Amino acid sequence: SMLFQINPSFTKKNQLKLDLNKNILDHNFKLCFSLVYSIKSIDGAKIIKQIGRYYEIEIESNTVIMTLQTPRTGSYNMSSGPEGLFIIDKNNKRIECVVHPLIFENPISLVTYPELKEKISDPVIPMPFSTNLKQKFIKISNLEFKIRSEEKEFFKNIKNLFIPSKIKFNITKGFEIIFCKVKLQNDGYKIYFDKNLITINYSDYGGKLYSVITLIQLLNFYKSKLPLGSIEDKPSLIWRGMHLDCARQFYSVDEIKRLFDYMCFFKLNRFHWHLTDNEAWRVELKCYPDLTTKGAYRGYREKIPPFYGSGYKKTGGYYSRIDIKELIEYAKFRNIEIMPEIDLPAHSWTLLQIMPELKDPTSYVSKDIGNYQNNTINPILDETDIFLKNILKELSDIFSFNLIHVGVDERPKEAWKGSSKVIRYMKKNKISSFDELQDHYMNNIISILKKFNKLTAAWNEAALPAYSDIGSAGSSGNVDKSCIIFAWENQDVGLISTKKGYKTVLCPGHKTYFDMAHNNSTYERGICWASTIEVKEVFDWKPLKGYKPDELINIFGIQGQLWSETITNKDYFDEMINPRLAALAEIAWCTKAKRTWGQFRSSLVNQIEYLTKIGWKHHNF
């Protein structure tokens, strides 16, 4: 029997076309797949099921033509085609088929980048606070350093950071290094390179670790010698973060550890772990085991459909207590603290499939920006209150860091409109708007978490009105000032948040969202609702421009984000992060670039070479 063939393409008119071989039509088949842009209209087939951006369509013709949402760039790329496509016959059985690579009738070619090779004056990334190195060198024979025996354990715990460099730290022979504990700023250090000795001053674990990272980076550049002189270094911001969305795609413990190594190599110290969303629930809780037994897996025959390229088979996974403990410990050795995020009250479609009692039965349908219906938990139900107390208590037990992120982004404006219980509650308590109700909900969470000695973090809509007009709502302005705000929607949001007195982490989509495509070439991957982001554009960002001194006090830090809708294959992961995250690390450490792009790029080429040895692929820049 002939295999069923599907040829996807974007036409000259920018429509998504599926060409199907003739014999598909002779059967009563449905095509199942997911997209990153919603279908606006369809010819040659009809949509028989849609949840979020997962579609099942019934074929009526050999050519199916779809008009999709138009991206900001006006053109589509490699992430825009059908992902995880499979065919189901009338007996609900899966049929083998071949999906050919996506083609473009109007291709936009890849960007070529100028070579810019400059003589490097400072190879270290991020650039140290002050470097005073001479053109005189000490030889490091066999790349061996002699350390004191009490330092052995420290080096053992971070060995995979320097194994590829061939550097050896041992207690018998080599160029001598002495560590001295002195009073310095957190994560700060000083290195003195003398003829017979390297002296490192540090005051905490971070400073000690970062001095060694700097040493490794210097040796990558100078090979078997080091310059005489000194380096004094300290970060300008406390929070230098990276976020990973493990709900849209599941990343193994080893994949996350690999990211921690990368973060540590560029002195990033906070991991924002996005564990729940519309598409999955990934953190195992003893209080509600079904959340992971049912909510951590997707597939055609599962409770949760195959969103974002998951495909027919059951796929997914979750993090057990043992996994989390292992990651917290691994992160600690790399000076990284882990902040978990449970994304509520919206972004909860999967949660509500498993615990429908967290919403009021209603005929009213609300939709979020990603096309999920009724994805918001109801804040006034007793069930909700019990649920929140239970999960927040258990999360506080599992995670050692003092911050828990509770989401609060993109709540559909009308999400609570259909609930008679909400309307009654609002009348009784003189609450005049849903935004005000959200603030009630937020303040309740903040006080629950305070009891467990945790601070609350949330996206900007938790404390500010929603910025973009995408049908979502925000705060009425009455949220406890202890809440830490992650300002994502736009550059201005950070300004508004700090002005209001909230400690704020700047993470605007148009500079820090690494799910954005690098540019508008059809051969790139990524989406572009905020913008497209080249490595140089991250480097050129001046995040603190326009802040007054009393607002600057409230800037807690800067963070990169990788949302995972487009990471339908782990092969795409590296190029979205590397080296944009290295450029962001420079900005997070220094608050703005203190060298030219040419200088930075030349240093980056050198460090990329090292990352390649650890197995990191990278995007051109």
Side-chain angles (χ1 to χ4, degrees):
S1 73
M2 185 168 143
L3 257 181
F4 298 108
Q5 315 263 342
I6 296 170
N7 287 289
S9 62
F10 276 96
T11 65
K12 285 205 162 39
K13 288 183 171 168
N14 243 347
Q15 289 174 304
L16 176 57
K17 181 167 83 167
L18 302 180
D19 272 322
L20 317 169
N21 59 339
K22 293 282 176 269
N23 55 352
I24 287 191
L25 253 196
D26 310 338
H27 306 73
N28 203 350
F29 284 164
K30 64 177 176 180
L31 252 51
C32 309
F33 56 88
S34 61
L35 293 165
V36 291
Y37 296 114
S38 303
I39 299 173
K40 291 275 190 228
S41 67
I42 187 164
D43 285 310
K46 66 168 185 285
I47 297 171
I48 49 178
K49 182 175 183 178
Q50 177 202 350
I51 301 173
R53 297 194 178 105
Y54 166 70
Y55 293 91
E56 297 182 0
I57 65 174
E58 211 165 73
I59 304 300
E60 295 165 346
S61 150
N62 283 110
T63 309
V64 176
I65 301 236
M66 293 170 257
T67 304
L68 308 182
Q69 282 171 304
T70 313
R72 174 186 277 259
T73 51
S75 55
Y76 296 91
N77 68 16
M78 294 306 290
S79 295
S80 314
E83 293 282 351
L85 190 145
F86 54 94
I87 299 180
I88 298 290
D89 71 13
K90 55 178 177 297
N91 303 317
N92 217 13
K93 287 248 187 330
R94 185 188 178 182
I95 299 288
E96 280 305 307
C97 70
V98 177
V99 183
H100 293 281
L102 182 63
I103 56 171
F104 295 86
E105 289 179 8
N106 277 339
I108 300 169
S109 54
L110 284 165
V111 170
T112 48
Y113 299 90
E115 262 297 291
L116 295 174
K117 268 275 208 243
E118 293 186 15
K119 194 171 180 308
I120 297 172
S121 55
D122 199 333
V124 179
I125 298 173
M127 187 169 171
F129 179 73
S130 127
T131 304
N132 186 1
L133 300 172
K134 305 186 179 73
Q135 278 306 306
K136 287 196 179 120
F137 295 90
I138 43 183
K139 190 161 167 39
I140 311 294
S141 48
N142 300 332
L143 292 177
E144 284 188 307
F145 292 97
K146 186 180 176 196
I147 52 167
R148 294 178 173 171
S149 59
E150 64 263 28
E151 306 295 352
K152 234 170 100 171
E153 194 61 20
F154 167 76
F155 282 97
K156 201 182 107 193
N157 289 328
I158 57 165
K159 64 175 186 299
N160 59 339
L161 293 168
F162 56 82
I163 283 172
S165 66
K166 308 278 196 285
I167 302 170
K168 290 176 271 316
F169 296 95
N170 46 47
I171 49 179
T172 47
K173 56 180 195 293
F175 200 93
E176 196 174 354
I177 299 184
I178 291 178
F179 290 93
C180 308
K181 211 168 155 95
V182 298
K183 194 132 189 55
L184 290 174
Q185 186 193 311
N186 274 6
D187 291 351
Y189 61 90
K190 293 178 183 174
I191 312 181
Y192 302 95
F193 300 98
D194 299 309
K195 278 201 180 66
N196 307 307
L197 182 68
I198 293 171
T199 312
I200 290 172
N201 289 354
Y202 71 98
S203 77
D204 61 1
Y205 182 84
K208 184 177 184 178
L209 175 65
Y210 293 158
S211 69
V212 174
I213 297 286
T214 293
L215 206 57
I216 295 166
Q217 291 200 8
L218 288 168
L219 281 163
N220 278 346
F221 179 68
Y222 291 110
K223 305 306 176 213
S224 55
K225 57 183 187 177
L226 284 168
L228 288 164
S230 64
I231 288 177
E232 182 188 336
D233 202 6
K234 59 182 183 191
S236 54
L237 294 167
I238 294 173
W239 189 285
R240 306 178 302 282
M242 179 58 185
H243 149 292
L244 182 63
D245 161 18
C246 295
R248 272 58 177 264
Q249 308 295 347
F250 178 69
Y251 297 87
S252 70
V253 167
D254 285 343
E255 285 166 330
I256 296 172
K257 284 180 175 175
R258 184 172 172 265
L259 177 59
F260 290 171
D261 287 348
Y262 187 104
M263 287 169 65
C264 177
F265 193 71
F266 295 109
K267 304 185 174 80
L268 296 166
N269 67 348
R270 296 289 181 264
F271 179 58
H272 175 166
W273 199 3
H274 189 83
L275 288 161
T276 74
D277 216 299
N278 287 317
E279 298 81 5
W281 185 285
R282 304 281 186 205
V283 56
E284 181 181 42
L285 297 177
K286 292 199 180 98
C287 58
Y288 302 109
D290 277 2
L291 290 177
T292 43
T293 55
K294 295 179 184 158
Y297 298 96
R298 306 198 286 253
Y300 182 67
R301 301 195 179 278
E302 302 304 309
K303 196 170 183 70
I304 311 302
F307 299 122
Y308 293 123
S310 296
Y312 177 82
K313 287 203 218 40
K314 178 178 180 175
T315 56
Y318 60 84
Y319 305 100
S320 68
R321 276 199 175 211
I322 293 165
D323 294 334
I324 294 168
K325 210 170 133 69
E326 188 182 325
L327 281 167
I328 289 173
E329 196 167 297
Y330 192 88
K332 275 246 189 329
F333 287 134
R334 279 147 192 75
N335 198 43
I336 294 167
E337 292 284 3
I338 299 179
M339 172 184 68
E341 179 193 351
I342 302 296
D343 200 353
L344 300 166
H347 281 272
S348 297
W349 189 87
T350 282
L351 166 64
L352 287 164
Q353 304 317 297
I354 296 153
M355 298 182 69
E357 64 272 21
L358 300 179
K359 66 173 198 276
D360 214 357
T362 167
S363 57
Y364 184 80
V365 175
S366 75
K367 254 198 190 133
D368 83 337
I369 177 83
N371 262 324
Y372 290 95
Q373 296 189 355
N374 300 340
N375 75 336
T376 308
I377 66 172
N378 191 320
I380 63 99
L381 305 174
D382 294 342
E383 289 85 347
T384 301
D385 201 47
I386 295 162
F387 170 77
L388 289 173
K389 286 190 173 117
N390 285 340
I391 66 166
L392 294 172
K393 180 180 192 316
E394 195 168 334
L395 284 168
S396 301
D397 286 344
I398 298 173
F399 287 93
S400 51
F401 189 46
N402 71 339
L403 217 57
I404 289 183
H405 197 296
V406 296
V408 203
D409 55 318
E410 298 183 331
R411 168 177 60 82
K413 277 183 187 140
E414 315 280 82
W416 297 320
K417 191 175 162 175
S419 166
S420 51
K421 288 182 183 169
V422 162
I423 307 303
R424 276 204 302 276
Y425 180 88
M426 286 170 67
K427 271 210 180 90
K428 193 174 133 197
N429 294 283
K430 303 196 172 28
I431 298 170
S432 59
S433 70
F434 294 139
D435 290 5
E436 222 176 289
L437 182 61
Q438 181 184 289
D439 289 352
H440 257 233
Y441 161 89
M442 255 326 272
N443 289 329
N444 177 38
I445 283 182
I446 291 167
S447 68
I448 293 171
L449 282 172
K450 271 183 187 162
K451 288 193 186 87
F452 306 131
N453 299 315
K454 301 288 187 193
L455 289 169
T456 306
W459 299 109
N460 55 252
E461 299 99 312
L464 312 173
Y467 187 90
S468 321
D469 189 20
I470 54 172
S472 43
S475 162
S476 70
N478 296 309
V479 165
D480 189 298
K481 289 287 188 279
S482 69
C483 188
I484 289 132
I485 294 305
F486 283 67
W488 70 277
E489 275 192 283
N490 185 284
Q491 292 263 79
D492 303 344
V493 170
L495 269 169
I496 302 164
S497 173
T498 51
K499 256 192 190 53
K500 290 206 154 141
Y502 290 100
K503 282 250 178 295
T504 305
V505 174
L506 305 179
C507 47
H510 70 303
K511 293 292 179 193
T512 70
Y513 271 35
F514 300 148
D515 55 316
M516 298 294 123
H518 285 72
N519 52 64
N520 72 342
S521 162
T522 47
Y523 303 109
E524 293 287 349
R525 293 194 177 271
I527 51 179
C528 60
W529 68 260
S531 72
T532 55
I533 310 173
E534 292 283 10
V535 181
K536 183 178 188 296
E537 293 173 291
V538 178
F539 179 81
D540 288 337
W541 183 37
K542 294 181 179 57
L544 306 190
K545 226 176 128 181
Y547 285 85
K548 298 186 180 74
D550 57 327
E551 294 153 5
L552 283 174
I553 296 162
N554 287 323
I555 290 183
F556 201 32
I558 286 169
Q559 178 172 286
Q561 276 67 228
L562 183 66
W563 299 97
S564 297
E565 288 92 331
T566 61
I567 314 294
T568 49
N569 180 327
K570 293 294 165 57
D571 291 348
Y572 313 150
F573 180 81
D574 287 17
E575 291 203 2
M576 301 311 273
I577 288 176
N578 186 28
R580 289 191 289 197
L581 187 52
L584 190 70
E586 175 106 346
I587 304 307
W589 188 266
C590 310
T591 67
K592 68 167 194 241
K594 295 190 167 64
R595 50 179 146 184
T596 64
W597 165 247
Q599 275 291 309
F600 176 76
R601 186 191 180 277
S602 303
S603 304
L604 188 54
V605 168
N606 191 258
Q607 302 303 347
I608 287 273
E609 209 173 291
Y610 181 68
L611 289 166
T612 307
K613 289 180 193 166
I614 317 179
W616 276 83
K617 298 192 290 295
H618 66 92
H619 194 282
N620 290 336
F621 54 97

